[in-house]
Amino acid sequence: MPLFSNHATNIDNANSDKSISSVPSRWQQKVNGDLNSKSRHAKIAPWLINTASFVIMGMLVLLSLSIGVADFSWSGVFHSLANHSANLDSSLMLVSRLPRTIAIILTGIAMAVAGMIIQVVLKNRFVEPSMVGATQSAALGLLVVSLFFPASALIIKMSVATIAAVFGMMLFMLLIHRIPPTDFLMIPLIGIVFGGIIDAITTFIAYQTETLQMLSVWQFGDFSSVLSGRYELLWLTGVLCIIAYIIADKLTIIGLGDNIALNLGISKRHVTWIGVGMVAMMSAVVVVTVGMIPFIGLVVPNIVSRIMGDKLRRSLPAVALLGASAVLLCDIIGRSIRYPFEIPVATVFGVVGTVVFLWILLRAPAES
Amino acid sequence: MSTTSFSSHRATPVFKRPLIAALMTALLTSITVTGCIAPESNDSEPADSNTENKTADKAKNVATNEAVSVTIISVDTIKGSVDLAINPSPLVVYDMTLMQDLAALDVAVDGMPSGLKLNNLHSKTQPDPKKVGTVFEPDLEALNAMQPQAILVGSRMAEKYNALSSIAPTLNMSIDTANIYESSKQRLHDLGALFGKSDQALKLQQDIDGLIDETKTATKDKGNGLVIMVNGNKLSAYGDKSRFGFIHTVLGVPMVDNQIKDADHGQPVSFEYLQKTNPDWLFVIDRSAAIGEESVGAKAVLDNPLVAQTTAWKKNQVVYLSPDSYLAFGGYYQWMQDLTAIKTAFSQAK
């Protein structure tokens, strides 16, 4: 295994040098400059970053557990823990607060990791699951299965949503196959248009069948309905993230380019499909249980790769932690500003995510 | 007219190639269609059409003066008052509230949108109405073929007012959500007058008013209430200015939370909100039932440890409102169904 990662880093540098000489675009230079200047950023050790993120996340978790509409006191929980007996506070904690917080963390991790995977697989910094048609296709699949088989079990609905998401991403891969790989901004542009078309089809079907309201449940992700027993499907995304961590090195190599993957004996086709399948499943599970949350998969991996580079084995834990913290923060904001009512986390993240992403874009040239 | 020309062209053997034939027919039909529309499009502006209707009605009045005098009636609508001959036929209706009132008045409706989820929208004694699009989207071809004398629309179709009024006098008789009772009373009265059934309309209104009085007596001093909609697995709360506000404003059930603002789809709330506000009565609109979905019943969604702590759930004081209150709020059958449901629930309370 150490040999394996050695290869990865060597090739990493070789590849960056090559692409600088061959592609003179300013953005490309910028991105590669970042990759090369990893040593510069490495002043902050990854473990330090991860520990700091972990501490921040811990504080947000405590805040998330404390904020809610119902009356709640920590002393009640400690009292119940000490006496080994349940009371109102501890049951509220177990039924509502803890499940909600766990669901938020799992969603944040899943969307951020899915974003990172799809960015590496497509070798493009500006894509995320909702920009390659994954979440939209999942919603379309979910709508169709709800219309034809309204009584079907959640697992069936989720499977259909996943299949639809994979199918949508396949279509997208076929589409981008036809444009030159150096055209950096075409991929996200095509993705946005593609997602918009699927969205339009979904909305049209919903409009015709008077299910727009039902559709809105999936289109605006929020955690207000999360209770124990109603979010557990999300643990599946946790499993997928662990798998992603296991195959992290292979994904990194795929991200370096087709020839390098071939030389290192990695089947580009297989790993790409595994990556695509994982992203589709994560998006589908999140859409089915809480709804779409845009921008996480775009903003979080970009921030992390700016600091830590694109080696997934090193950056995935940071991506996961930051993703969880970001969604936690946005949900806390959404719960607090109109207390006791809620603002869907998708709306809050839409606003915050746009600002952060603009900041990333505008800050970029100053650094080079 | 355009259909006949279309078929005759298709029948001629001149066009051997289907593509050319299709192109030519498309061209010809487009010419004939524009030709047909051109003279009509002049009076497509509402102001114009109103005056033209008046003159047309006057002319009709003069012509038939000797035989039967046609009575012109002025109907109050959202777009100002419209003068219309009594008993317009064929009649097209796009709003479920108005359909319920007309069904109760036993007025035959000739055109209705398809895919309606309620079964009390037209009286059983009349023939099935023609399909003229959906509640959101009119089928202008079908309307044109029908040549209706009047089109009644509500809030869902209000956007299409201009397109519809180029075909026939269109009456926007939407219900004011903030003031459902007064507004629906006015509409029922107007419909009665328009179809020469004022007495029957008055009787229906007396039914509603009588039931309101009985329900008010039943709900008096029985505690506060909260209206929520269950949509999928999510909840939203509705206040006294929403379309379900009649529970607070007309029936006088106190609101459990006065902060709820009016919003089209309610205020998103969590289950903890229900636990905290702890309403004595819970009025539930099952959105999925309203659109014919039976996947996740509202009851299953509400059945959780947090809702179980509320007085409403403990004392079994949960009232499920009819799907009509979502789709046809302010309609005659909606009033009767919801009032009966609420009255029954409250009079059974201990």
Side-chain angles (χ1 to χ4, degrees):
Chain A
M1 218 50 194
L3 190 73
F4 198 52
S5 37
N6 258 342
H7 269 293
T9 33
N10 289 340
I11 300 303
D12 190 347
N13 293 332
N15 177 57
S16 332
D17 293 342
K18 199 183 79 192
S19 52
I20 281 182
S21 54
S22 61
V23 187
S25 117
R26 198 160 161 242
W27 257 113
Q28 193 84 328
Q29 280 181 6
K30 170 80 216 74
V31 171
N32 284 311
D34 260 17
L35 282 178
N36 271 346
S37 59
K38 232 184 300 174
S39 49
R40 191 180 71 199
H41 288 294
K43 268 181 272 178
I44 319 166
W47 67 266
L48 200 68
I49 298 174
N50 285 346
T51 318
S53 329
F54 199 77
V55 171
I56 293 171
M57 195 183 99
M59 293 192 311
L60 287 169
V61 166
L62 282 181
L63 204 58
S64 169
L65 290 174
S66 321
I67 291 177
V69 182
D71 294 316
F72 171 78
S73 76
W74 281 101
S75 60
V77 177
F78 294 132
H79 194 75
S80 131
L81 279 176
N83 295 343
H84 297 286
S85 66
N87 59 16
L88 274 182
D89 287 318
S90 66
S91 73
L92 183 74
M93 173 62 83
L94 289 177
V95 167
S96 167
R97 298 286 166 83
L98 206 55
R100 182 168 184 152
T101 308
I102 293 172
I104 294 167
I105 293 172
L106 285 172
T107 306
I109 291 176
M111 292 315 284
V113 169
M116 192 75 184
I117 294 174
I118 199 73
Q119 286 179 11
V120 167
V121 167
L122 290 182
K123 305 186 232 358
N124 193 308
R125 286 258 68 103
F126 301 105
V127 291
E128 63 145 355
S130 71
M131 273 189 197
V132 295
T135 46
Q136 290 92 340
S137 307
L140 177 61
L142 196 51
L143 179 71
V144 169
V145 75
S146 306
L147 284 174
F148 286 109
F149 308 100
S152 55
L154 195 60
I155 189 77
I156 293 173
K157 287 188 177 172
M158 205 211 75
S159 315
V160 174
T162 309
I163 293 165
V166 172
F167 197 72
M169 287 172 77
M170 261 167 66
L171 260 178
F172 179 75
M173 307 276 267
L174 284 177
L175 272 178
I176 58 166
H177 215 68
R178 297 178 168 275
I179 59 166
T182 47
D183 216 337
F184 233 62
L185 290 172
M186 272 305 267
I187 293 175
L189 269 178
I190 290 178
I192 290 167
V193 174
F194 180 67
I197 291 170
I198 297 177
D199 224 16
I201 295 170
T202 316
T203 313
F204 178 75
I205 296 174
Y207 184 80
Q208 289 292 319
T209 52
E210 282 219 45
T211 42
L212 276 177
Q213 285 260 319
M214 191 166 80
L215 190 64
S216 70
V217 173
W218 307 313
Q219 275 182 337
F220 292 97
D222 84 80
F223 295 96
S224 64
S225 63
V226 172
L227 285 178
S228 80
R230 294 184 186 177
Y231 77 100
E232 279 76 359
L233 213 56
L234 281 171
W235 283 108
L236 196 62
T237 64
V239 175
L240 287 169
C241 290
I242 293 169
I243 298 174
Y245 187 70
I246 293 170
I247 64 162
D249 288 327
K250 287 188 180 175
L251 286 168
T252 311
I253 292 169
I254 290 299
L256 294 178
D258 305 355
N259 291 335
I260 293 160
L262 196 70
N263 284 338
L264 289 173
I266 303 255
S267 165
K268 187 212 167 200
R269 184 179 278 267
H270 282 158
V271 180
T272 305
W273 281 116
I274 291 171
V276 165
M278 280 170 46
V279 171
M281 265 183 103
M282 287 181 188
S283 318
V285 173
V286 170
V287 167
V288 172
T289 41
V290 293
M292 294 182 196
I293 308 176
F295 277 117
I296 306 171
L298 191 64
V299 172
V300 173
N302 268 296
I303 294 174
V304 172
S305 91
R306 245 158 225 289
I307 304 170
M308 305 177 100
D310 267 353
K311 203 179 139 197
L312 288 186
R313 168 105 340 139
R314 189 161 62 188
S315 60
L316 266 187
V319 168
L321 283 171
L322 190 61
S325 304
V327 183
L328 268 170
L329 182 67
C330 288
D331 189 63
I332 290 169
I333 295 172
R335 269 188 278 173
S336 322
I337 51 178
R338 287 230 33 206
Y339 183 89
F341 308 107
E342 303 211 357
I343 291 177
V345 71
T347 314
V348 181
F349 208 101
V351 176
V352 176
T354 320
V355 172
V356 173
F357 194 61
L358 278 176
W359 172 70
I360 291 175
L361 280 178
L362 295 175
R363 185 174 155 274
E367 219 183 50
S368 57
Chain B
M1 185 187 142
S2 60
T3 43
T4 51
S5 68
F6 184 83
S7 55
S8 70
H9 278 297
R10 212 166 41 176
T12 47
V14 179
F15 306 111
K16 291 261 167 57
R17 293 183 185 173
L19 184 69
I20 296 177
L23 279 174
M24 284 306 284
T25 41
L27 193 70
L28 280 166
T29 42
S30 69
I31 290 168
T32 44
V33 165
T34 43
C36 285
I37 282 173
E40 277 181 358
S41 59
N42 289 338
D43 56 13
S44 64
E45 284 118 55
D48 260 6
S49 72
N50 270 354
T51 50
E52 286 216 0
N53 285 335
K54 269 182 210 161
T55 49
D57 285 334
K58 260 181 211 154
K60 212 171 169 185
N61 216 352
V62 172
T64 53
N65 225 354
E66 287 100 307
V68 200
S69 70
V70 176
T71 327
I72 308 288
I73 188 167
S74 171
V75 182
D76 197 27
T77 74
I78 301 286
K79 296 246 177 188
S81 70
V82 175
D83 290 336
L84 208 63
I86 209 165
N87 249 328
S89 170
L91 169 72
V92 172
V93 185
Y94 277 108
D95 185 66
M96 289 188 241
T97 309
L98 301 171
M99 287 177 206
Q100 283 198 351
D101 284 353
L102 291 173
L105 287 169
D106 209 18
V107 171
V109 177
D110 306 283
M112 260 188 202
S114 55
L116 299 171
K117 310 284 183 194
L118 303 176
N119 56 8
N120 50 18
L121 298 176
H122 65 89
S123 61
K124 299 284 172 281
T125 53
Q126 55 149 312
D128 273 347
K130 284 204 182 70
K131 305 290 181 219
V132 285
T134 68
V135 275
F136 293 105
E137 195 71 46
D139 181 349
L140 295 175
E141 293 291 330
L143 278 180
N144 200 39
M146 262 181 92
Q147 290 293 332
Q149 288 300 301
I151 303 174
L152 307 185
V153 299
S155 49
R156 279 167 221 247
M157 193 55 103
E159 281 172 38
K160 305 278 175 3
Y161 181 85
N162 286 344
L164 289 173
S165 53
S166 70
I167 291 176
T170 306
L171 285 69
N172 181 353
M173 297 176 81
S174 306
I175 300 268
D176 177 13
T177 45
N179 202 357
I180 286 186
Y181 174 71
E182 289 300 332
S183 180
S184 73
K185 190 176 176 179
Q186 180 67 37
R187 296 290 177 240
L188 186 57
H189 170 265
D190 287 352
L191 289 175
L194 183 59
F195 294 95
K197 299 200 172 186
S198 290
D199 297 344
Q200 222 169 319
L202 194 65
K203 217 188 129 283
L204 294 179
Q205 190 59 47
Q206 282 165 356
D207 287 354
I208 297 174
D209 289 343
L211 201 50
I212 286 178
D213 286 338
E214 288 171 35
T215 314
K216 258 177 161 169
T217 329
T219 56
K220 202 164 192 293
D221 302 326
K222 289 268 174 64
N224 55 26
L226 174 70
V227 185
I228 53 163
M229 179 184 285
V230 180
N231 182 26
N233 54 0
K234 291 174 187 174
L235 304 180
S236 34
Y238 285 81
D240 55 356
K241 284 186 183 61
S242 70
R243 56 187 120 176
F244 312 110
F246 72 92
I247 290 172
H248 305 297
T249 52
V250 178
L251 301 179
V253 176
M255 283 170 80
V256 76
D257 176 11
N258 289 318
Q259 290 178 39
I260 305 172
K261 290 207 185 78
D262 180 34
D264 255 5
H265 299 310
Q267 295 280 347
V269 291
S270 58
F271 293 104
E272 284 192 21
Y273 176 81
L274 292 190
Q275 193 252 31
K276 166 84 180 184
T277 52
N278 190 16
D280 298 322
W281 290 87
L282 209 48
F283 301 92
V284 181
I285 303 110
D286 189 345
R287 171 63 196 167
S288 32
I291 52 164
E293 278 277 325
E294 276 135 36
S295 49
V296 204
K299 209 169 201 164
V301 174
L302 290 174
D303 189 10
N304 65 56
L306 286 176
V307 179
Q309 291 173 31
T310 60
T311 314
W313 195 266
K314 275 187 209 151
K315 295 174 78 177
N316 205 11
Q317 296 180 342
V318 184
V319 185
Y320 294 91
L321 299 177
S322 66
D324 303 42
S325 63
Y326 186 80
L327 297 169
F329 58 92
Y332 173 76
Y333 292 111
Q334 186 258 315
W335 277 116
M336 298 308 275
Q337 284 185 21
D338 284 343
L339 291 171
T340 312
I342 294 170
K343 191 184 87 174
T344 318
F346 273 83
S347 40
Q348 280 167 358
K350 283 140 212 159

